[in-house]
């Protein structure tokens, strides 16, 4: 039996419930984090929790918990669920209230944390993956790790239906990111280009860590906007996300929309 945490309760994952009037359910009035676990080690915990609190501040949810409380919950769940390789999912909503668009005057945030065991698919690292390009139809606050992911879901599904692994999103001719990943363009043997941090992309934790590693190893990382023409003319290009958190995932073929 897998144990999940919901508002101070540790319960069977299959029996975990929230109110039908929870604002996360009704409005996607919530944020989340997905934290990788490898060999029983939590990857970049501090960076993920820092971004969680930043996202909460940006959408004006006042948390009723601390970083230490989340850490204690996660450690207990990892132990109970024997988590070795997989991820930890954290979601915070504005809580339960009458269905009105404006913020409730008094509210108690809903805190959900669960874990998932996963096996890493090593074949995709060896062979690479196919991607397609699509218009970026998301809202203009992509820097917030919101649960409002319908445009991402539609883009990803379109890619899958076209036999691709990921959709690269294009905003006015410029590459932003993937439906669930950051994009890296390899210009030459030591020069790598990725979109700058602003409201048009999510500042991925894997992205932040890789930039530090690349610079430490004397790679030149250029954080600037690139056009689709630059993508097609590049030496190669790669994507990173939680599922590829151990490094670059090679894109073997770019298929137009």
């Amino acid at each position: 039996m897998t144990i999940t945490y919901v508002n101070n309760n540790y319960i069977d994952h299959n029996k975990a419930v929230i109110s039908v009037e929870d604002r996360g359910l009704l409005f996607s009035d919530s944020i989340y984090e997905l934290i990788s676990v490898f060999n029983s080690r939590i990857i970049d915990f501090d960076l993920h929790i820092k971004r969680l609190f930043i996202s909460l501040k940006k959408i004006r949810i006042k948390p009723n918990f601390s970083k230490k409380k989340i850490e204690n919950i996660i450690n207990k769940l990892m132990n109970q669920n024997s988590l070795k390789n997989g991820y930890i999912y954290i979601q915070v909503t504005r809580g339960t209230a009458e269905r009105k668009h404006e913020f409730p005057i008094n509210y108690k945030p809903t805190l959900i944390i669960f874990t998932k065991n996963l096996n890493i698919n090593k074949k995709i690292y060896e062979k690479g993956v196919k991607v397609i390009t699509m218009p970026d139809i998301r809202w203009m606050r992509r820097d917030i790790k919101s649960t409002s992911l319908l445009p991402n879901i539609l883009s990803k599904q379109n890619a899958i239906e076209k036999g691709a692994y990921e959709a690269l999103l294009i905003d006015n001719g410029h590459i932003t990111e993937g439906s669930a990943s950051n994009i890296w363009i390899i210009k030459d043997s030591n020069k790598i280009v990725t979109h700058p941090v602003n409201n048009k992309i999510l500042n991925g934790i894997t992205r932040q860590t890789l930039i530090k590693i690349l610079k430490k190893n004397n790679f030149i990382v250029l954080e600037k906007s690139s056009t689709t023409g630059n993508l097609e003319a590049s030496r190669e290009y790669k994507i990173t996300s939680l599922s590829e958190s151990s490094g670059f995932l090679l894109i073997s073929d770019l298929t137009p929309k």
Side-chain angles (χ1 to χ4, degrees):
M1 179 175 68
T2 301
I3 302 298
T4 286
Y5 176 94
V6 181
N7 289 338
N8 295 319
N9 295 306
Y10 293 87
I11 54 181
D12 181 345
H13 183 78
N14 294 322
K15 296 179 180 179
V17 295
I18 60 171
S19 169
V20 294
E21 288 191 302
D22 190 285
R23 288 178 64 92
L25 174 65
L26 297 177
F27 297 116
S28 290
D29 188 4
S30 59
I31 58 90
Y32 76 102
E33 282 291 333
L34 210 63
I35 308 176
S36 183
V37 175
F38 184 69
N39 286 339
S40 300
R41 178 171 171 260
I42 302 173
I43 307 300
D44 291 327
F45 173 79
D46 288 338
L47 290 175
H48 278 285
I49 299 304
K50 179 181 179 181
R51 186 172 64 180
L52 182 141
F53 279 96
I54 289 173
S55 292
L56 286 173
K57 184 176 181 180
K58 286 179 177 180
I59 68 169
R60 296 163 61 186
I61 289 179
K62 297 179 181 179
N64 56 352
F65 52 82
S66 64
K67 172 186 173 182
K68 186 62 178 178
K69 180 175 181 178
I70 291 179
E71 187 173 11
N72 290 338
I73 294 168
I74 287 174
N75 287 333
K76 185 172 182 178
L77 288 177
M78 287 183 62
N79 184 52
Q80 290 178 319
N81 296 331
S82 302
L83 181 63
K84 293 184 178 180
N85 295 299
Y87 65 76
I88 300 154
Y89 179 86
I90 305 171
Q91 183 172 338
V92 184
T93 84
R94 206 176 303 273
T96 301
E98 183 180 356
R99 192 190 181 281
K100 293 181 178 180
H101 283 68
E102 64 267 30
F103 295 169
I105 296 174
N106 297 308
Y107 64 89
K108 181 180 179 181
T110 295
L111 176 60
I112 301 166
I113 305 178
F114 65 82
T115 67
K116 184 74 172 181
N117 284 287
L118 291 176
N119 293 317
I120 298 173
N121 182 3
K122 295 182 179 179
K123 290 182 179 179
I124 60 176
Y125 294 97
E126 299 168 358
K127 296 183 178 181
V129 295
K130 293 182 179 181
V131 301
I132 63 171
T133 57
M134 286 189 63
D136 196 337
I137 60 173
R138 299 170 301 162
W139 72 322
M140 295 305 293
R141 290 308 307 273
R142 304 161 194 166
D143 53 305
I144 300 173
K145 199 159 177 70
S146 163
T147 56
S148 302
L149 295 174
L150 185 57
N152 304 66
I153 290 168
L154 293 173
S155 299
K156 183 76 168 186
Q157 183 61 29
N158 194 24
I160 297 300
E161 290 174 358
K162 292 182 181 295
Y165 178 87
E166 175 64 300
L168 306 191
L169 305 179
I170 311 301
D171 186 345
N172 292 320
H174 291 263
I175 306 153
T176 51
E177 54 191 341
S179 69
S181 58
N182 289 119
I183 307 300
W184 308 76
I185 299 174
I186 315 302
K187 300 298 291 183
D188 52 44
S189 60
N190 74 328
K191 187 179 294 182
I192 299 170
V193 178
T194 191
H195 197 284
V197 173
N198 55 28
N199 65 299
K200 291 190 175 184
I201 71 162
L202 179 70
N203 188 12
I205 301 303
T206 302
R207 177 189 183 281
Q208 295 176 43
T209 300
L210 277 175
I211 286 176
K212 291 178 182 178
I213 293 172
L214 289 167
K215 288 183 176 180
K216 186 177 180 179
N217 287 276
N218 299 318
F219 285 91
I220 299 171
V221 180
L222 302 176
E223 296 184 66
K224 67 177 186 178
S225 180
S226 295
T227 64
T228 52
N230 289 334
L231 182 66
E232 293 168 355
S234 65
R235 179 171 171 262
E236 58 182 334
Y237 31 96
K238 301 174 185 286
I239 60 177
T240 53
S241 68
L242 174 106
S243 59
E244 291 81 52
S245 59
S246 60
F248 285 134
L249 174 58
L250 173 65
I251 299 171
S252 62
D253 184 31
L254 175 64
T255 305
K257 166 176 86 123

